[in-house]
Amino acid sequence: MGSIFYMERNGQKYAYESTSRRVPGRKNPVTDKVYLGRVDPETGKIIPKESRRPPAEIYAKDYGNVVVLDHIQNELGILDDLKQSFPGIGGNIMGAAMSQVIDATSFDDIHYIIDGSIIREKLKLRGSLSPATMSDLSEDVGTSLSSMDDFFTRRIGRSSSAFYSLDLTSVSSYSDMNGWAEWGHNRDEEELKQTNIAMVTDSDGIPVMFRMLPGSIADISVMKCTVEDMTGMGCGGRLVMDRGFESAANINALLEMGAEFTVPSNAKAEPIKKLMSQAISDMKGSSAYRYHEGRAYKTAEYELGIVRNGDSYEYIVRVPQNHKDSKENNERFERSHKLRAFVVYDPKKASDDLNAVISMVSDVELKYENTKHDDADKVYQALPAFIRKYVTFSVDADSFVHVERRQNSFTFADNRAGMFVMLASEGTSWDLMMSSYDVRDWVEKAFDVYKNDIDGSRSRTGDPDRARGRFFIKFIALIMRIHIQNAIREHDKEVLRTKTKKDSVNGKTVNEIVRTLNTLMAVGNTGDWKLTAVSKNVREIFAFFGLEEPKSGQILIG
């Protein structure tokens, strides 16, 4: 310890500590002088010097949700793929996507989510994802089409799915987006221009790729391009599509591309209606019964053909020899492209179908029977077209309306109730067809999450490249949200099956899980962080995702 000495300046006495130390190469020792503070003139005690540095700011940042999301993306390999496909900006893409899972704000407000959480520290991001930065990032991503395809290829490579679902949705826009937003069939029934998004999900509903398309592009073009892209990216699974894609031309294109597929039929083509009528008698035998996933069905399988008719394509079936023009028809059938048609009867669906018809007809009868109207025909025409298929109005001499049921429509509804038709590539078995049919609505559910949970129903930019880049970032968020959603659903099923005690995860939505995790925060500053109190719900959520139980107190971030 050194010696203390004093100096006076302007009537004030100051204390210093003097220490000597030797320095190699120098003959005499070096004296170090350290200021200790002022000397109190009354007590003679040293008043320590005050630090001129302001106290460090204390921050409270979201911790729980970021730790869980980082664990999920690490399990799925998302950041690894982003860094490979988007060198230099993969971390920023990941950070923006994580913020969208936590709170689907506008892209101009993403920096508030980043700064209010440990995303920056966890992902080691540099700088701020300010509105200007996000605008540039969205544009950089949206113009990097080859990088996107590389990322999709990596995601498909990580998937072991046997089935892939394709669907199309519209995203409304107030701008024409340099020609990308056009008038077309708006699936949200909005009077706005739109772009289209074609998205592919695996058998678990996890998105693996997408395409942003002009708003008026035909479904057949979407299907052809997407199937070719999927094949080029190494996707060899069976393609499952919604009935909106079903047409003879589309199915013929799939056959020519050699694709394996399962597609529900809209049952509008006359040859398919003939198969449904024939199936009523063919399904009377005991061999027609099938069992799938705990439910009984009846089915009849047929060979269906597709032939060219001028500039279009049409379905064709083999007919008995006693039918008119059977020879010509059957010769065309033999030359046609072949596929399998499964006519299926679902007793539960039959009951639901008939209940729906009778319920709506009964409501109309209760509302309009024995009522008077200035223009009964106008009232009738205002009814939904589905209802008008089953009822008609008559007016008696006293101007009272009577609701009459259409007998032929009821007979047809009774015959077709519970029936549906599935089209599939040759070699498809009943079990394979039904297993693939089970995943048909996963992509539709993914679109619901995109539009409702991560604010994807509107394109809020007039630049198509930025719009594509923003969708890509939301696409990453969608992967994580659906992974969480699937995990919760499977957990609920397992608890129900085993009748084990429910925990804090059971019955929760993704948003509820995120809000619960929001309660666990890190408080402090760079290099000095502490966790707030850890609730039982948070502990159980961490355990559910395979994470160690968080402990209150000092922690390291990053």
Side-chain angles (χ1 to χ4, degrees), residues 521-525 528-532 551-555 557:
M521 307 189 78
V523 178
N525 205 323
D528 183 22
W529 295 97
K530 293 182 180 180
L531 280 189
T532 55
K551 304 287 186 182
S552 300
Q554 205 79 23
I555 55 163
I557 297 178

Side-chain angles (χ1 to χ4, degrees), residues 155 159-165 200-208 439 442-443 486:
R155 299 314 300 171
S159 175
S160 59
S161 178
F163 310 126
Y164 291 91
S165 298
V200 178
T201 61
D202 66 15
S203 55
D204 292 322
I206 303 293
V208 294
V439 306
W442 280 123
V443 68
N486 289 351

Side-chain angles (χ1 to χ4, degrees), residues 431-444:
D431 290 324
L432 180 57
M433 179 276 293
M434 287 299 288
S435 296
S436 56
Y437 180 57
D438 290 340
V439 306
R440 72 197 182 282
D441 59 347
W442 280 123
V443 68
E444 187 174 326

Side-chain angles (χ1 to χ4, degrees), residues 158-319:
R158 288 182 181 272
S159 175
S160 59
S161 178
F163 310 126
Y164 291 91
S165 298
L166 167 66
D167 203 358
L168 194 68
T169 194
S170 52
V171 178
S172 300
S173 175
Y174 293 105
S175 164
D176 67 0
M177 292 178 64
N178 294 335
W180 278 76
E182 300 175 355
W183 297 108
H185 171 56
N186 192 301
R187 288 160 175 77
D188 296 324
E189 300 182 354
E190 296 178 315
E191 293 296 324
L192 290 171
K193 289 184 177 182
Q194 64 183 28
T195 55
N196 282 327
I197 299 292
M199 187 160 62
V200 178
T201 61
D202 66 15
S203 55
D204 292 322
I206 303 293
V208 294
M209 67 168 288
F210 76 87
R211 285 288 185 261
M212 191 177 92
L213 305 160
S216 62
I217 193 166
D219 284 0
I220 187 169
S221 300
V222 174
M223 186 200 69
K224 281 184 174 180
C225 292
T226 307
V227 172
E228 288 171 356
D229 289 345
M230 289 172 64
T231 302
M233 293 175 189
C235 180
R238 173 174 293 263
L239 185 63
V240 184
M241 292 182 291
D242 182 76
R243 59 173 42 86
F245 282 96
E246 189 264 303
S247 70
N250 279 3
I251 299 299
N252 185 71
L254 288 172
L255 292 172
E256 289 184 343
M257 287 187 284
E260 294 185 352
F261 62 86
T262 303
V263 184
S265 173
N266 55 33
K268 292 180 180 179
E270 195 60 37
I272 292 179
K273 290 180 181 178
K274 287 181 180 179
L275 293 181
M276 295 178 76
S277 298
Q278 182 179 340
I280 293 174
S281 58
D282 289 347
M283 289 191 295
K284 289 182 179 178
S286 59
S287 61
Y289 286 94
R290 296 284 192 278
Y291 200 66
H292 177 74
E293 296 291 328
R295 289 177 64 171
Y297 298 87
K298 290 198 293 184
T299 186
E301 299 180 28
Y302 302 98
E303 197 172 38
L304 181 65
I306 298 177
V307 293
R308 180 182 283 276
N309 183 7
D311 293 332
S312 61
Y313 291 89
E314 64 183 15
Y315 294 116
I316 187 171
V317 293
R318 186 185 286 111
V319 297

Side-chain angles (χ1 to χ4, degrees), residues 12-39:
Q12 177 63 58
K13 192 174 182 180
Y14 299 93
Y16 294 84
E17 182 179 34
S18 175
T19 56
S20 295
R21 60 186 174 86
R22 292 212 171 261
V23 177
R26 298 187 66 171
K27 183 177 180 180
N28 298 317
V30 174
T31 301
D32 292 327
K33 183 173 66 173
V34 178
Y35 172 62
L36 299 178
R38 295 184 298 110
V39 177

Side-chain angles (χ1 to χ4, degrees), residues 484-556:
I484 297 171
Q485 185 173 280
N486 289 351
I488 296 170
R489 185 181 63 253
E490 291 304 314
H491 180 62
D492 288 345
K493 286 182 181 178
E494 183 64 15
V495 169
L496 188 63
R497 184 184 68 82
T498 59
K499 297 182 180 180
T500 53
K501 184 180 178 181
K502 291 185 177 181
D503 57 22
S504 301
V505 178
N506 282 119
K508 289 283 195 302
T509 64
V510 177
N511 285 338
E512 287 170 338
I513 292 291
V514 170
R515 283 197 293 269
T516 300
L517 290 170
N518 278 347
T519 63
L520 180 58
M521 307 189 78
V523 178
N525 205 323
T526 306
D528 183 22
W529 295 97
K530 293 182 180 180
L531 280 189
T532 55
V534 184
S535 69
K536 176 187 174 185
N537 290 352
V538 169
R539 288 198 302 271
E540 291 186 348
I541 292 172
F542 266 62
F544 172 71
F545 286 106
L547 288 161
E548 290 185 9
E549 181 179 317
K551 304 287 186 182
S552 300
Q554 205 79 23
I555 55 163
L556 290 175

